[in-house]
Amino acid sequence: MIPRYTKPEMAEIWSDKNRFKKMLEVEIFAAEAMIPLGIVPKKAVEVIKKKAKIDVKRINEIERTVKHDVIAFLTAVAETTGSEGRFLHLGMTSSDVLDTATGAQLRQSTQLLITETKKLAALIAKLAKKYKMTPVIGRTHGVHAEPMTFGLKAASWYCEIERNIKRLESALETVSYGKISGAVGTMAHLSPKVEAYVCKKMGLKPEPVSTQIIPRDRHSVYFSTLAHLGASLERIAVEIRHLQRTEVSEAEEPFTEGQKGSSAMPHKRNPIISENICGLARLLRGYALTAMENIALWHERDISHSSTERIMFPDASIVMHYMLVRMQTLIAGLNVYPKNMQSNLDKTKDVIFSGTLLLSLVDKGLSREDAYAMVQAAAFDARKNKTSLEEACSRSKSITKYLTISEIKKAFDVKSQFKNIDYIFKRTFKG
């Protein structure tokens, strides 16, 4: 991934240095497991552990000649260990090393994503509680619907992020697998004890039935989970982009000192973080599709998945991490404008209480169809004459036949709309 969208913590996990480090760990643990089996001398493993070094530049230099990354890795390591290097990779195939090392990297990556997602959830929870009872117009189809609170809007985001944390935790379990089972998964040349030892040391579980590789449905789950999380961040970002529109102006991204919004228009303060997140979410969905296409391979394996994975594993992970950090910045610094929210509530006067008025008439014994027609006529009358719906209802003979002026007035009380907000918050934030 380009430096612009890369944070150091995730970049380190997917660096060549860490990848080769994990590969070396697999090789050393495998050699250790072979000591009690009488395959590898204990002294040889001690020498390997002491002398083995990772030289990324040298590995890449060898690969340019041999055209094989694992052979290049093993050759470079053997140059540092001396003759004891011959005890590495005994009975193993390249994917034993690669897939097990990748499983360890995926485990690191997912754990970091879980940590950052939990940080985001905490920030959203704080936002929701702060604006728990702040009135704002709810919109459906982009049109004023009924009053709600800004805190409830944020609480909905919180619930979705919490679901994503559970998905990440499930994905963590799904990808935390390794394999030391040979060229077609038969363990023909090594005892199952070697695989069990290596996986335990790497913090992984042995793949129950592998081919030459770990089945790619596991990795597809990881990418699908990132796509889900990315879409959830996009949902929040799209909402903030709308709220920041000049005509709405209910909330606004943080704008730091010295920041500039446009090369041509000095007044501009654009929702660039939100737009950035929306764009990157599209990448994650693309990676998820490719990961699904990598599941079906020829027989026990081909390498059609390999080229895409070299790009996808680091890029998707790095992008997802970047998006989470960016969204944390956005939520922590979000400017909320309650006065503008109230102003927007007032723009359609009180027609947004039409649903409450409808129910009040139904409670008097009218059919829903008749009540709807009465309220709709009053609402259109209010709009045409630029008056309030309450005023239009008060002069409507059909409505005042069933409701007193006091009952009409009660239907337009915004506080009555929020009587169950406390209940929703209690079940959302567990008290």
Side-chain angles (χ1 to χ4, degrees), residues 59-234:
I59 294 170
N60 291 336
E61 180 184 2
I62 295 171
E63 187 180 356
R64 282 194 288 272
T65 299
V66 301
K67 305 295 192 298
H68 194 293
D69 55 351
V70 176
I71 292 174
F73 159 76
L74 291 167
T75 302
V77 170
E79 290 176 349
T80 69
T81 61
S83 60
E84 284 79 6
R86 72 184 186 277
F87 293 108
L88 294 175
H89 208 66
L90 293 180
M92 297 165 63
T93 192
S94 296
S95 292
D96 288 339
V97 185
L98 291 173
D99 276 9
T100 306
T102 298
Q105 286 178 285
L106 284 169
R107 185 171 179 80
Q108 287 180 303
S109 180
T110 309
Q111 288 171 331
L112 178 57
L113 293 177
I114 289 171
T115 296
E116 296 300 338
T117 308
K118 286 182 176 179
K119 288 180 185 178
L120 176 60
L123 289 170
I124 295 175
K126 184 178 179 181
L127 181 72
K129 292 172 184 178
K130 182 177 180 179
Y131 296 103
K132 175 181 175 181
M133 300 304 287
T134 301
V136 67
I137 186 63
R139 299 175 175 90
T140 58
H141 306 276
V143 178
H144 284 206
E146 291 187 346
M148 60 182 296
T149 71
F150 188 71
L152 185 63
K153 189 187 294 282
S156 175
W157 303 341
Y158 171 83
C159 288
E160 187 163 345
I161 296 302
E162 283 290 298
R163 291 193 292 275
N164 277 286
I165 291 172
K166 291 179 181 178
R167 292 186 189 107
L168 283 168
E169 290 171 343
S170 177
L172 176 63
E173 195 283 328
T174 300
V175 299
S176 295
Y177 280 77
K179 56 94 65 181
I180 309 291
S181 57
V184 291
T186 60
M187 296 187 178
H189 307 294
L190 284 176
S191 166
K193 293 179 180 179
V194 176
E195 181 181 71
Y197 182 88
V198 172
C199 287
K200 184 176 181 180
K201 284 288 189 177
M202 297 294 292
L204 306 172
K205 296 178 182 178
E207 178 63 42
V209 180
S210 58
T211 59
Q212 187 173 92
I213 59 172
I214 288 175
R216 260 39 194 176
D217 65 292
R218 292 195 180 277
H219 305 105
S220 177
V221 167
Y222 176 76
F223 288 106
S224 296
T225 300
L226 299 196
H228 269 103
L229 178 53
S232 295
L233 298 189
E234 184 181 17

Side-chain angles (χ1 to χ4, degrees), residues 116-131 150 153-155 157-158 161 232-233 235-240 243 251-254 273-274 277 323-336:
E116 296 300 338
T117 308
K118 286 182 176 179
K119 288 180 185 178
L120 176 60
L123 289 170
I124 295 175
K126 184 178 179 181
L127 181 72
K129 292 172 184 178
K130 182 177 180 179
Y131 296 103
F150 188 71
K153 189 187 294 282
W157 303 341
Y158 171 83
I161 296 302
S232 295
L233 298 189
R235 177 197 172 203
I236 298 171
V238 166
E239 181 68 16
I240 290 170
L243 298 181
E252 183 181 39
E253 290 186 4
I273 299 176
S274 298
I277 287 171
M323 291 170 68
L324 285 167
V325 173
R326 288 282 274 174
M327 184 58 81
Q328 289 170 26
T329 299
L330 195 166
I331 296 297
L334 187 68
N335 297 303
V336 179

Side-chain angles (χ1 to χ4, degrees), residues 344-358:
N344 285 333
L345 272 165
D346 296 338
K347 278 182 179 177
T348 41
K349 298 188 183 296
D350 54 3
V351 294
I352 53 179
F353 296 101
S354 65
T356 304
L357 189 65
L358 167 66

Side-chain angles (χ1 to χ4, degrees), residues 305-325:
H305 63 96
S306 178
S307 56
T308 63
E309 289 176 354
R310 291 176 191 272
I311 299 167
M312 290 162 54
F313 280 129
D315 279 15
S317 303
I318 288 169
V319 163
M320 186 75 264
H321 180 247
Y322 174 84
M323 291 170 68
L324 285 167
V325 173

Side-chain angles (χ1 to χ4, degrees), residues 132-133 418-428 431:
K132 175 181 175 181
M133 300 304 287
F418 305 152
K419 59 180 177 292
N420 288 316
I421 296 295
D422 280 335
Y423 169 79
I424 296 171
F425 266 64
K426 284 179 181 178
R427 74 178 182 186
T428 299

Side-chain angles (χ1 to χ4, degrees), residues 220-285:
S220 177
V221 167
Y222 176 76
F223 288 106
S224 296
T225 300
L226 299 196
H228 269 103
L229 178 53
S232 295
L233 298 189
E234 184 181 17
R235 177 197 172 203
I236 298 171
V238 166
E239 181 68 16
I240 290 170
R241 287 171 64 188
H242 171 75
L243 298 181
Q244 189 164 333
R245 289 173 56 218
T246 306
E247 297 83 359
V248 180
S249 195
E250 293 178 356
E252 183 181 39
E253 290 186 4
F255 197 85
T256 58
E257 185 176 352
Q259 183 176 341
K260 296 181 179 180
S262 166
S263 63
M265 297 167 284
H267 71 280
K268 296 280 281 180
R269 290 163 63 115
N270 301 324
I272 58 171
I273 299 176
S274 298
E275 292 172 339
N276 177 246
I277 287 171
C278 288
L280 294 177
R282 298 167 190 167
L283 278 180
L284 295 176
R285 289 192 285 276

